[in-house]
Amino acid sequence: MQARTQLASLTRRRCLAGLAATSLGLRGDLARAARPPRIACLEWTSAEMVISLGIGPVAVADIKGYRDWVVGPDLPAGCIDLGSRGEPNLELLLELEPDLITGAYGFGLDEAPFKRIAPVHTVPFYDGTETPYRQAEIETLKLGLRLGREAEAQRLIRETAAAIARIRAQLAGRAKQPLAVVSMFDDRHVRVYGKGGLFQDVLDRLSLTNAWTAPTDGWGFSMLGIEELVAIGEARVISLDPIPPHVKIRIDQSSLWANLPCVKAGNVRTIPPVWPFGGLAAAARFANLLVRA
């Protein structure tokens, strides 16, 4: 307990030190603003974090995609679509006059044009400094401090950890049953999530065994031919929605898929969408869906 308290204190000092060196600029100190800050989110991970802290963003890039692939937490009514995540609408951003623009590490956007509109806050998930779950905790607190939502950030961290602990107890009987988590985008290839990703962190916290132990990329997944799933034998497969309808038809008709040991054993389950590159909300959602699968 003492070590945990010291770690939390250290994390808060690190966040405060970083924020002390960062000027919010343009529209003043968001943490002291009388009204909720106007935040525009260039991608889905930071949008999830902002909403999880109790602030509805005024705009998010690719709203339809968020609702298809992320799902929760819900976007607020009236949230404006900024267009493609790869090329958000700068003219619209100018008109919206946000207090803060948020993005995420590794998404590839040049920050310079956005910094001319408002201060930019980047969430550096998957930069290798921490495991994704631990970094989600750190970045949640950092964003909470910046937005004057430190209490909300700390509560989110505690509640997510408590929820996962409860679910671990519920799943105790499945601890020795290996499972693989996949996304299917066509009828011949599959993305399998493993070491270095948020899902692996959650599986570890749930004391569940990942059947996929092969090397992964920097985002914590492997892309492979469907036939390579033979390597997991009859392990359970957790397949994430959405699967494009035309792809599902082809998979259902595929003898390659039908003859995999895991499929022949009836061990494939489909769960609703979870954003694999999300924060604490995605971690909790994934754990909750696993317990029902």
Side-chain angles (χ1 to χ4, degrees):
M1 180 64 73
Q2 183 179 3
R4 188 180 303 172
T5 302
Q6 291 173 341
L7 179 60
S9 177
L10 176 60
T11 299
R12 187 172 186 274
R13 287 200 301 272
R14 285 170 55 190
C15 293
L16 287 169
L19 291 172
T22 304
S23 170
L24 293 177
L26 291 182
R27 303 187 194 284
D29 188 343
L30 300 185
R32 297 182 181 181
R35 59 168 173 78
R38 294 173 57 79
I39 302 177
C41 305
L42 303 180
E43 47 65 58
W44 303 333
T45 300
S46 63
E48 175 213 294
M49 285 184 66
V50 169
I51 299 167
S52 296
L53 293 176
I55 299 174
V58 296
V60 173
D62 190 1
I63 283 178
K64 182 183 184 305
Y66 182 99
R67 289 175 174 151
D68 287 345
W69 294 91
V70 184
V71 181
D74 292 337
L75 292 172
C79 185
I80 294 170
D81 196 328
L82 288 173
S84 165
R85 290 181 296 154
E87 195 173 355
N89 189 323
L90 289 172
E91 292 78 9
L92 180 55
L93 267 175
L94 277 167
E95 292 177 11
L96 291 171
E97 297 186 336
D99 298 307
L100 186 71
I101 296 171
T102 67
Y105 168 87
F107 199 68
L109 291 175
D110 179 6
E111 291 185 3
F114 304 103
K115 287 181 175 179
R116 290 194 284 269
I117 297 172
V120 174
H121 181 94
T122 299
V123 176
F125 288 166
Y126 295 92
D127 67 355
T129 59
E130 299 278 358
T131 62
Y133 186 97
R134 180 66 189 129
Q135 195 151 16
E137 292 182 318
I138 292 169
E139 294 305 321
T140 294
L141 182 56
K142 189 181 295 183
L143 184 59
L145 287 165
R146 183 164 195 171
L147 298 177
R149 299 292 175 112
E150 181 183 359
E152 288 84 350
Q154 291 175 335
R155 182 168 61 250
L156 178 61
I157 291 168
R158 290 194 306 270
E159 289 179 351
T160 304
I164 289 175
R166 287 194 301 271
I167 293 168
R168 180 175 63 244
Q170 293 176 259
L171 290 172
R174 303 187 205 173
K176 295 182 180 179
Q177 301 173 6
L179 61 84
V181 185
V182 307
S183 292
M184 292 185 281
F185 302 110
D186 63 46
D187 60 332
R188 299 193 65 81
H189 300 88
V190 63
R191 176 193 286 173
V192 187
Y193 301 96
K195 184 178 180 181
L198 181 68
F199 290 164
Q200 181 66 63
D201 285 356
V202 175
L203 292 177
D204 290 344
R205 282 166 173 76
L206 294 174
S207 298
L208 296 178
T209 301
N210 193 337
W212 187 254
T213 57
T216 57
D217 65 11
W219 294 89
F221 65 82
S222 306
M223 286 295 297
L224 54 142
I226 281 181
E227 71 279 1
E228 294 179 73
L229 283 179
V230 71
I232 67 170
E234 294 186 356
R236 288 201 308 145
V237 172
I238 304 297
S239 175
L240 300 178
D241 270 337
I243 302 173
H246 68 283
V247 171
K248 189 173 188 318
I249 291 171
R250 290 175 183 170
I251 289 173
D252 289 344
Q253 297 173 345
S254 169
S255 59
L256 192 64
W257 172 254
N259 284 299
L260 287 171
C262 56
V263 177
K264 292 174 75 173
N267 286 340
V268 180
R269 300 289 183 272
T270 300
I271 64 173
V274 186
W275 185 228
F277 316 110
L280 295 178
R285 178 176 171 82
F286 179 57
N288 274 293
L289 291 171
L290 278 182
V291 80
R292 304 173 201 167

